[in-house]
Amino acid sequence: MLRYIQRRLLMLLPVLLGISVIVFLVMHLAPGDPALILAGPTATASEIAAIREKLGLNEPIYVQYWRFLSNALRGDLGESVQSGESVSAMLAQRFPNTVALAVAAMIVAMIIGLTSGIIAAVKKGSVFDSASMVTALLGISLPNFWLGLMLMLIFAVRLRWFPVAGYNGQWWTVTGIKQLTLPAITLGVQTAALLARITRSSMLEVMRADFVRTARAKGLSQMVTIGKHVFRNALIPVATVIGINFGGLLGGTVVTESVFAINGVGRTMVQAITSRDFPVVQGAVLLVASTFVLMNLLVDVMYAVLDPRIRYD
């Protein structure tokens, strides 16, 4: 297993290198000149030229990329064109907020998705089964921004159960939990719907297996058969969805953070794109992509833990 993890970590290097090339080229081919934005509308040509010289924008693009890459390897992602603040420091400050939101959303998704998926499989063909699958289809179809606004209107504006927007970064306090509840539901509904469908289909497939019939023939109760024999063997596709979607949640908080005014990486990325702050966009995309790749590695390692038949050595 250790050799497999080492081999996978080595394979991540060309992937991350490719991501850095794509991010750098896309940012530099996009319209807009950071020197013009930083200089302002009343700047003279000499002032703009001086800023371009200071930022290294006059150098060939491969020289700029090499400087970006070598600095990134040392943890230096440059400085924000707008504020002059270190991009690494900005992301380090805001990434915990994004992680807290993604974890809260995944908890909501797992509680709703796994519970409804298991019950729907056990009670196949019942009213609950039909209702949960229709609700899951509805959950997948609803756009995040619309759901967030509706939750905000009903539970924050009308009922005043939760704050309208904002997050103080303290998820362990009652105030922090209240601030995260509506954004977590908004972000977790689609994943919950997907988990419910995957869990149901995976459970039904395992329930038809011979070893489950044998377990029932031995006189094991329904709860023991489902919990010990069915659910564990149905977990591999469910774990895949959880792992990949958690990586997706970290990158998919852009809309939710903007709607609920949470100062995370997604909202920072949106603000940087609108102001053509290329170093911040590059750093944020690189951070989210790297996290997504590492989550995929974690999912592969989890396969061997969940299913002893899987060996990587």
Side-chain angles (χ1 to χ4, degrees):
M1 177 63 77
L2 185 61
R3 290 173 57 191
Y4 172 76
I5 295 174
Q6 290 173 341
R7 195 164 60 246
R8 284 295 306 269
L9 287 173
L10 287 176
M11 289 170 62
L12 289 182
L13 294 178
V15 175
L16 294 176
L17 186 65
I19 291 172
S20 71
V21 172
I22 294 172
V23 170
F24 183 82
L25 289 179
V26 168
M27 287 298 100
H28 280 71
L29 293 176
D33 188 342
L36 284 175
I37 297 170
L38 190 61
T42 59
T44 63
S46 60
E47 290 173 336
I48 295 173
I51 293 174
R52 290 184 64 82
E53 181 70 25
K54 180 182 177 183
L55 295 177
L57 298 176
N58 292 326
E59 296 174 346
I61 194 164
Y62 63 88
V63 175
Q64 295 182 46
Y65 172 71
W66 174 249
R67 187 173 60 247
F68 163 73
L69 182 62
S70 56
N71 289 337
L73 290 174
R74 293 195 297 270
D76 180 7
L77 295 172
E79 295 178 351
S80 166
V81 172
Q82 289 292 322
S83 65
E85 189 180 353
S86 165
V87 174
S88 301
M90 287 176 65
L91 296 179
Q93 183 186 9
R94 293 163 193 183
F95 191 56
N97 293 342
T98 298
V99 172
L101 176 56
V103 170
M106 185 52 75
I107 291 172
V108 169
M110 289 176 67
I111 291 174
I112 298 174
L114 293 180
T115 305
S116 58
I118 292 171
I119 297 175
V122 173
K123 298 183 177 299
K124 181 188 174 188
S126 65
V127 175
F128 180 87
D129 182 22
S130 304
S132 63
M133 290 303 104
V134 171
T135 307
L137 183 61
L138 189 65
I140 293 174
S141 309
L142 288 177
N144 270 358
F145 69 90
W146 182 85
L147 180 61
L149 291 175
M150 290 300 103
L151 291 175
M152 191 185 291
L153 177 65
I154 296 170
F155 295 102
V157 177
R158 297 282 176 83
L159 300 176
R160 298 180 184 275
W161 290 355
F162 301 98
V164 175
Y167 173 57
N168 62 7
Q170 298 177 339
W171 57 266
W172 57 90
T173 63
V174 174
T175 303
I177 292 173
K178 281 187 173 182
Q179 290 170 336
L180 273 181
T181 299
L182 295 184
I185 294 173
T186 302
L187 192 60
V189 160
Q190 288 188 343
T191 304
L194 188 60
L195 271 179
R197 295 176 70 90
I198 295 290
T199 303
R200 178 184 180 274
S201 61
S202 182
M203 292 273 296
L204 287 176
E205 185 178 345
V206 176
M207 286 166 72
R208 290 192 289 267
D210 291 339
F211 69 89
V212 176
R213 279 196 291 270
T214 304
R216 284 176 173 154
K218 287 165 61 179
L220 294 180
S221 66
Q222 175 80 337
M223 185 174 293
V224 173
T225 304
I226 295 296
K228 186 176 179 181
H229 295 284
V230 178
F231 183 62
R232 178 169 181 173
N233 287 282
L235 267 180
I236 287 186
V238 176
T240 305
V241 172
I242 290 174
I244 293 176
N245 274 271
F246 184 70
L249 286 179
L250 289 172
T253 57
V254 173
V255 174
T256 307
E257 286 180 1
S258 299
V259 169
F260 288 95
I262 294 176
N263 202 20
V265 174
R267 189 175 181 223
T268 302
M269 200 187 310
V270 172
Q271 292 170 340
I273 290 172
T274 54
S275 61
R276 302 291 193 274
D277 199 341
F278 293 157
V280 177
V281 179
Q282 285 177 173
V285 174
L286 198 59
L287 175 64
V288 171
S290 302
T291 307
F292 190 82
V293 171
L294 289 174
M295 284 306 303
N296 276 324
L297 171 62
L298 185 61
V299 169
D300 288 346
V301 173
M302 281 177 58
Y303 286 161
V305 178
L306 295 173
D307 190 346
R309 294 170 298 179
I310 298 177
R311 288 287 180 268
Y312 290 118
D313 291 332

